[in-house]
Amino acid sequence: MSLKNRLHVLKRKYRGSKMAPAFNAIHTFLYLPNETTHNGTHIKAADDLKRTMNTVIMAMVPCLIFGMFNAGYQHNLAVGDIQAVTSGFFSSEFWTLDNFFIGFWKIIPLVIVSYGVGLGIEFLFAIIKKHEVEEGYLVTGMLVPLIVPVDIPLWMLAVAVAFGVVIGKEVFGGTGMNILNPALTIRAFLFFAYPTWMSGDKVWVEGAVQRTKDIAAGANLDAISGETILGTLAQGKHVAYSTWDMFLGFIPGSVGETSTLLIILGGLFLIFTKIGSWRIMLSSALGAIAMGLIFNQIVDAGVITETSKFYGLMSTPFWEHLIIGGFAFGTVFMATDPVTASQTNKGKWIYGFFVGFISILIRVFNPAYPEGVMLAILLMNVFAPTIDHYVVQGNVKQRMKRLKAKTA
């Protein structure tokens, strides 16, 4: 008997029992349902929630694989085993098995913990509440490992995932009912609960049992997480990386957030498949550019000098804000979340613009936490329903005016 038939037998055997949602979830995740419609009028489409989630995951896989190579590359570069990349994206110093396996063995546990804890809670709530298991966590489970530092302890990640799934989603009713992006809720919990582990300027060893800032002592360490570019700029230091390195991703940072090139390609894929909103992506970039230009003009006018603690990030060229930190990743994969973002077309422009605008505002004015895209998206998640409300009400008023004009 094939696996599909075995699952179908189990599904019928446990139909109506508490375990039915679990068997249904496994069956429908691996195969198409055996039941089909026969009579009446039905909407037929090739896309569903599972396919949508899988498409988003496909867009993130290149970032995941690149992150594995980059984790190993940053380690080997820090301990002096290799030279810095000099020959572009296909440099032989970067794409090596040694780099890959160092990153693989540190990042895969993050993925396993994220999915194991998150899906476990999803199944538990489905069994208790007697409803079908929802596929919404498929994307969240992949997002979480990509937006955390590679050295985050696994137990911290497990606690944060449990908090994010329960408080960020299940208490609101599950997938489609949450008002905050679950992945960013998890990252926000980590940042506020364990801030020293989210700074990105620490050295980590196997098991994360020792942390030190002494990079020179890293010869016997398993990997190294260097200071991020945003952290360097926030402290008023000079950045040693070229613009090309920052765009391609040969820089320290969270697992999936470093390569702007791959993030853009993933965004284009989501736009092509009509899953990601190009309006939100474009308006977020415009908002960030607008805020960056304002800060650049303030610096050029001499209002802020090099002695100010805000000078480093405020004097950063406006366009450079788009390729450093997690701005690009957050804009493409999290600001466009169809559940927590604005739903109306005009609302998407407003929502996206303020995501970018507030991201750079927080980035500059909070040197202790120069990465503002997380807080900006969470803030706009809260205001998204209000934005849509006023957009709809505005359209209603315009239609009423046209109707009165016709009947006058």
Side-chain angles (χ1 to χ4, degrees):
M1 184 181 294
S2 66
L3 176 60
K4 181 178 181 180
N5 290 334
R6 288 181 183 275
L7 288 173
H8 185 59
V9 171
L10 290 173
K11 183 178 177 181
R12 287 188 298 178
K13 179 180 179 181
Y14 290 95
R15 180 176 296 168
S17 70
K18 290 185 177 180
M19 297 303 296
F23 286 111
N24 291 343
I26 296 173
H27 186 270
T28 56
F29 178 77
L30 295 175
Y31 303 102
L32 291 173
N34 287 346
E35 296 82 5
T36 58
T37 57
H38 299 286
N39 300 317
T41 302
H42 301 276
I43 297 175
K44 297 182 180 181
D47 58 330
D48 57 15
L49 183 59
K50 180 174 66 176
R51 288 185 177 89
T52 299
M53 297 297 107
N54 288 338
T55 302
V56 179
I57 291 175
M58 289 169 57
M60 290 189 288
V61 166
C63 296
L64 174 67
I65 296 175
F66 183 90
M68 292 179 179
F69 278 99
N70 192 44
Y73 167 74
Q74 295 298 330
H75 159 68
N76 286 326
L77 184 64
V79 299
D81 289 346
I82 60 174
Q83 298 296 317
V85 169
T86 57
S87 54
F89 193 72
F90 298 101
S91 175
S92 59
E93 296 95 342
F94 185 85
W95 303 101
T96 66
L97 288 178
D98 184 42
N99 289 344
F100 175 77
F101 282 115
I102 288 176
F104 178 86
W105 291 114
K106 295 306 299 184
I107 294 173
I108 284 298
L110 301 179
V111 178
I112 294 174
V113 169
S114 175
Y115 275 115
V117 175
L119 289 178
I121 295 175
E122 291 269 11
F123 272 71
L124 179 62
F125 269 82
I127 292 172
I128 293 174
K129 298 168 73 173
K130 297 181 180 180
H131 64 67
E132 293 297 320
V133 178
E134 298 152 339
E135 292 93 345
Y137 192 79
L138 292 178
V139 169
T140 303
M142 181 61 71
L143 279 172
V144 172
L146 296 181
I147 60 176
V148 298
V150 70
D151 60 334
I152 191 76
L154 297 181
W155 71 267
M156 287 186 187
L157 183 63
V159 172
V161 169
F163 175 88
V165 174
V166 175
I167 304 300
K169 187 168 70 169
E170 293 299 338
V171 296
F172 293 102
T175 300
M177 305 297 291
N178 51 291
I179 62 172
L180 299 175
N181 184 284
L184 286 177
T185 304
I186 292 169
R187 197 182 195 284
F189 176 87
L190 284 170
F191 174 74
F192 291 111
Y194 312 107
T196 58
W197 287 90
M198 300 296 288
S199 62
D201 61 350
K202 308 293 185 182
V203 178
W204 54 271
V205 298
E206 184 68 29
V209 296
Q210 175 184 346
R211 295 169 69 86
T212 173
K213 291 184 178 181
D214 186 7
I215 300 297
N220 296 321
L221 302 182
D222 290 292
I224 289 176
S225 176
E227 187 176 45
T228 63
I229 289 177
L230 285 176
T232 301
L233 291 172
Q235 297 177 45
K237 300 178 182 178
H238 174 70
V239 176
Y241 301 96
S242 68
T243 301
W244 193 239
D245 286 339
M246 290 187 285
F247 177 73
L248 295 180
F250 304 132
I251 54 176
S254 296
V255 176
E257 296 179 347
T258 60
S259 179
T260 306
L261 172 62
L262 293 180
I263 294 170
I264 291 175
L265 293 177
L268 292 175
F269 177 70
L270 293 180
I271 293 171
F272 175 76
T273 54
K274 299 182 179 180
I275 291 177
S277 170
W278 65 268
R279 293 178 177 86
I280 293 178
M281 296 182 196
L282 178 57
S283 59
S284 294
L286 293 175
I289 290 172
M291 189 74 262
L293 282 170
I294 291 173
F295 284 135
N296 288 170
Q297 290 300 315
I298 292 174
V299 172
D300 292 341
V303 178
I304 297 294
T305 64
E306 294 188 32
T307 58
S308 172
K309 64 179 180 179
F310 303 118
Y311 180 81
L313 283 165
M314 193 174 283
S315 62
T316 301
F318 68 92
W319 54 266
E320 201 167 282
H321 282 288
L322 303 179
I323 62 174
I324 58 178
F327 177 81
F329 190 88
T331 295
V332 170
F333 294 110
M334 288 179 282
T336 56
D337 177 14
V339 175
T340 56
S342 290
Q343 305 297 313
T344 60
N345 286 340
K346 186 181 293 185
K348 289 176 181 178
W349 284 105
I350 300 171
Y351 167 88
F353 182 86
F354 278 105
V355 165
F357 195 86
I358 297 173
S359 293
I360 308 306
L361 183 67
I362 297 175
R363 174 180 287 184
V364 171
F365 282 131
N366 188 359
Y369 180 56
E371 184 53 88
V373 67
M374 175 191 77
L375 297 178
I377 294 175
L378 288 175
L379 178 64
M380 294 312 299
N381 285 165
V382 175
F383 283 101
T386 303
I387 294 172
D388 285 336
H389 170 76
Y390 283 106
V391 169
V392 171
Q393 290 301 310
N395 289 337
V396 170
K397 290 180 180 178
Q398 290 295 326
R399 292 184 180 185
M400 291 298 294
K401 289 181 179 178
R402 290 197 296 266
L403 179 61
K404 291 180 179 179
K406 289 181 179 180
T407 56

